[in-house]
Amino acid sequence: MTPYSPDPDWWKSATGYQIYPRSFACSNGDGIGDIPGIIGKLDYLADLGIGFIWLSPVFSSPQADNGYDISDYQDIAPEFGTLADMDRLILEAKARGIGIVMDLVVNHSSDEHHWFRSALQGREVPYRDFYIWRDPVNGGAPNDQQSYFGGSAWEYDRASGQFYLHLFDKKQPDLNWQNPSLRRAIYQMMNWWLDRGIAGFRMDVIDLIGKDPDAQIFADAPDLHPFLREMHEATLKGRNVVTVGEAWSATPAGALLYSGRDAGELSMVFQFEHVSQQWDPVIGKWAPKPFDLVALKRVFNRWQAATAQDGWNSLFWGNHDLPRAVSKYGDGSEDSAKMLAIVLHLMKGTPYIYQGEEIGMTNAAFSAITQFRDVETVNFYAIRTAKGMDPQAFIQGANENGRDNARTPMQWTSGTQAGFTTGTPWIEVNPNHTAINAKAAQSKPDGVFATYKSLAHLRKSHPIIVAGTYTPLLEYHPKVVAYLRKHQGQCLAVIANFTGDPVTFDPNLTLQGDSLIATHTARTALNGPLTLAPHEAFAILG
Ligand code: TEU
């Protein structure tokens, strides 16, 4: 199904692909990826078999957070191109059956948005209330709320004597969703994009928009769902689009509030329990815990169960905020990349590929803070080292869990700058592009690219992958991932060795059928004990 078919559920059998435009393909040699660069790679994406692109922000922006700080929602940043380029991207993608999903960043704007510039003119101006202002308390910030990027979430504006709220960088002031005029302006802008022919929205930190700053309730506040329902009525209703809300706070119990068939809100959310399950509950991502496969499976199984009858899952290992999957969950090898793809894409839900994942790109490693560009990493480096942390220890942690390590340029070829740009890239290219690159990957019949391509094509031709029920197997096995999908008398068994060691076990399952996909040799039967090679994964359809 493509976004241009009349089926309202087209996005269930489609594969999503995230483009981080800054790092995807540079067409003009300035070292920054751009929209013409993306257009030039649409044939590559069509070959991969994806149904829609989630395009990280390309709007006008001073780029304090690489575009997640928008100064004009209805224009394109010059480094990425023009509105005409954007229209051409939508058309050219459509010609290949691919939809463009834009990134809606409306929890906050840039401080350079004309709304905020106007709001700074004084307490009485109309746009003042588009943002969240509070008087000082005891001469300081209204409360001790911290920003996700470090330091106080309140910034003092000397001219008016008030503080404004910024849950992210101080150049990302939070928008005041309590103001109906602000909400109307956002909906108008959304309709303007939808009318241009886009296939939907990915909604940045959407779980924060209902916030009650005085009660210090930010995620999942009481106004969140009413706002999303209102948004749906005003913009999405009656349009055949896909929406995916980024919701770090989402729980299996709350999932249907967003994506249930009667919720009238979103198609699905990105939930992060499988990510945060691996972090220290207090210190967070800078203090990763040892990997625990049983705990990871428990999270996936809970989400599969919660959406068994209603609602819908998104399936992803990585994105532009997270370490690359093959380094985080695998060992960097092709086999582990293929195994991860099979395990994820055959669960129930819409799978998302983060650019480069389909060719087995690994996390880059840096050795000095000067190589990092990300506001989050740079800020926390300053904060933590000022408190006495060893700089090298911080960099080691950042290499594991920082955001820039997955943001290095897409590796197209083994040539200069990986074929990403003819100039100097905004962030260093991973030196391993000589071995890991799209050109090499595309020419390998059993490689990582071939696996992702098969998976994208299989889900279009096998309704069991889209609609089959999900039953976990071997839930407590520390090395194996196994599950069954069932649909209209068919049974799909997915079995994988998650580790780099061979493993022998008994799946307690008898099945005879066809090999749907396999990392190693094709398997067609299950009967008694089984030995799997390191990172071996396969699926049998019986
Ligand atoms: O991310 C939300 C978010 O909460 C992340 O910043 C996350 O907290 C962090 O990576 C984990 O430590 C979204 C975007 O995906 C991200 O790129 C933006 O920086 C952020 O919102 C602000 O718009």
Side-chain angles (χ1 to χ4, degrees):
M1 288 298 161
T2 80
Y4 307 101
S5 77
D7 179 357
D9 284 344
W10 61 267
W11 38 269
K12 292 188 176 175
S13 56
T15 301
Y17 186 94
Q18 183 191 355
I19 289 184
Y20 196 65
R22 211 176 176 75
S23 300
F24 190 64
C26 165
S27 71
N28 60 359
D30 69 355
I32 296 173
D34 48 49
I35 297 170
I38 299 172
I39 296 171
K41 299 296 182 187
L42 284 173
D43 285 334
Y44 167 84
L45 297 173
D47 179 41
L48 180 57
I50 60 150
F52 63 96
I53 292 169
W54 151 26
L55 182 59
S56 276
V58 289
F59 313 94
S60 303
S61 162
Q63 307 287 333
D65 186 16
N66 290 357
Y68 283 90
D69 49 319
I70 296 170
S71 53
D72 186 344
Y73 291 94
Q74 287 168 237
D75 206 351
I76 302 294
E79 53 268 65
F80 293 138
T82 61
L83 266 179
D85 291 331
M86 194 59 220
D87 285 341
R88 202 156 58 86
L89 173 62
I90 295 169
L91 272 181
E92 292 278 344
K94 181 174 181 178
R96 293 164 178 82
I98 296 173
I100 302 291
V101 170
M102 301 290 276
D103 211 319
L104 185 76
V105 189
V106 290
N107 171 69
H108 44 267
S109 73
S110 163
D111 65 339
E112 297 183 29
H113 194 289
H114 80 85
W115 293 339
F116 192 74
R117 290 207 158 134
S118 159
L120 285 176
Q121 299 309 307
R123 293 190 183 207
E124 304 309 325
V125 297
Y127 285 121
R128 181 78 172 178
D129 191 47
F130 270 31
Y131 296 88
I132 298 168
W133 299 92
R134 294 290 181 271
D135 289 326
V137 171
N138 302 326
N143 57 44
D144 62 359
Q145 182 60 39
Q146 296 293 294
S147 137
Y148 291 110
F149 290 163
S152 173
W154 295 100
E155 181 72 11
Y156 188 58
D157 168 44
R158 193 180 298 274
S160 65
Q162 284 191 309
F163 285 84
Y164 68 85
L165 179 74
H166 62 91
L167 290 178
F168 294 89
D169 192 65
K170 65 173 184 233
K171 284 187 69 62
Q172 295 167 296
D174 278 56
L175 288 164
N176 177 19
W177 274 73
Q178 299 298 332
N179 182 328
S181 308
L182 175 272
R183 301 207 298 277
R184 266 198 302 275
I186 301 277
Y187 304 153
Q188 232 166 43
M189 174 274 285
M190 290 172 70
N191 281 322
W192 184 85
W193 277 110
L194 290 163
D195 293 342
R196 276 189 120 83
I198 64 166
F201 291 108
R202 175 265 186 186
M203 301 184 183
D204 193 62
V205 288
I206 203 67
D207 57 343
L208 301 179
I209 62 172
K211 66 183 74 73
D212 179 350
D214 301 311
Q216 283 183 264
I217 301 174
F218 295 96
D220 232 354
D223 285 329
L224 168 63
H225 291 288
F227 287 162
L228 283 176
R229 282 195 293 272
E230 182 188 80
M231 174 197 281
H232 184 104
E233 283 289 317
T235 63
L236 306 165
K237 195 176 176 179
R239 300 191 194 251
N240 199 2
V241 294
V242 64
T243 49
V244 48
E246 187 200 25
W248 281 79
S249 66
T251 60
L256 299 190
L257 293 175
Y258 293 99
S259 70
R261 72 176 69 82
D262 298 325
E265 294 190 10
L266 306 176
S267 313
M268 63 190 115
V269 289
F270 286 133
Q271 61 85 15
F272 293 85
E273 261 197 281
H274 61 298
V275 174
S276 53
Q277 175 271 323
Q278 299 168 62
W279 297 347
D280 181 284
V282 180
I283 307 173
K285 73 180 207 175
W286 308 103
K289 294 194 292 198
F291 181 71
D292 178 350
L293 182 64
V294 173
L296 180 70
K297 288 193 287 186
R298 198 178 300 129
V299 172
F300 280 127
N301 294 342
R302 254 208 326 262
W303 277 86
Q304 290 287 318
T307 53
Q309 307 298 334
D310 190 13
W312 192 248
N313 277 307
S314 66
L315 306 169
F316 67 97
W317 285 123
N319 65 27
H320 65 296
D321 294 332
L322 302 173
R324 286 197 172 269
V326 70
S327 304
K328 176 80 191 170
Y329 303 96
D331 60 3
S333 67
E334 286 200 14
D335 281 346
S336 66
K338 294 194 287 185
M339 178 277 292
L340 288 167
I342 291 172
V343 163
L344 190 78
H345 285 230
L346 296 179
M347 287 192 236
K348 192 172 177 183
T350 297
Y352 290 78
I353 302 170
Y354 173 56
Q355 67 183 42
E357 184 183 331
E358 77 282 11
I359 59 167
M361 270 178 68
T362 61
N363 237 16
F366 299 119
S367 52
I369 191 64
T370 49
Q371 293 172 291
F372 288 87
R373 302 282 175 271
D374 178 23
V375 57
E376 181 187 58
T377 306
V378 171
N379 283 359
F380 276 105
Y381 177 85
I383 292 170
R384 296 279 153 98
T385 54
K387 284 188 180 151
M389 184 170 185
D390 171 35
Q392 275 314 312
F394 181 90
I395 284 167
Q396 207 183 328
N399 278 338
E400 257 191 62
N401 266 334
R403 310 198 296 181
D404 274 344
N405 308 71
R407 293 178 177 181
T408 58
M410 177 73 185
Q411 296 166 202
W412 294 106
T413 69
S414 60
T416 317
Q417 306 298 4
F420 163 71
T421 181
T422 54
T424 307
W426 69 277
I427 190 168
E428 286 171 38
V429 165
N430 191 326
N432 71 9
H433 68 274
T434 48
I436 300 175
N437 60 72
K439 193 153 178 251
Q442 273 188 295
S443 66
K444 265 191 211 163
D446 300 320
V448 182
F449 186 85
T451 302
Y452 274 94
K453 184 171 166 173
S454 298
L455 288 165
H457 287 276
L458 283 169
R459 65 183 297 109
K460 295 185 214 171
S461 51
H462 289 72
I464 191 169
I465 300 175
V466 179
T469 59
Y470 173 95
T471 311
L473 302 172
L474 303 167
E475 288 165 80
Y476 297 100
H477 198 293
K479 297 183 168 177
V480 171
V481 175
Y483 55 84
L484 283 184
R485 305 287 309 277
K486 284 189 183 161
H487 187 62
Q488 295 178 343
Q490 279 195 315
C491 180
L492 178 68
V494 181
I495 299 194
N497 176 1
F498 216 86
T499 74
D501 309 312
V503 59
T504 301
F505 62 102
D506 191 341
N508 289 318
L509 198 67
T510 311
L511 183 70
Q512 182 83 37
D514 299 321
S515 165
L516 192 75
I517 192 165
T519 53
H520 292 63
T521 48
R523 292 188 188 252
T524 55
L526 289 171
N527 193 2
L530 192 65
T531 298
L532 297 188
H535 294 126
E536 179 174 355
F538 64 88
I540 299 175
L541 182 62

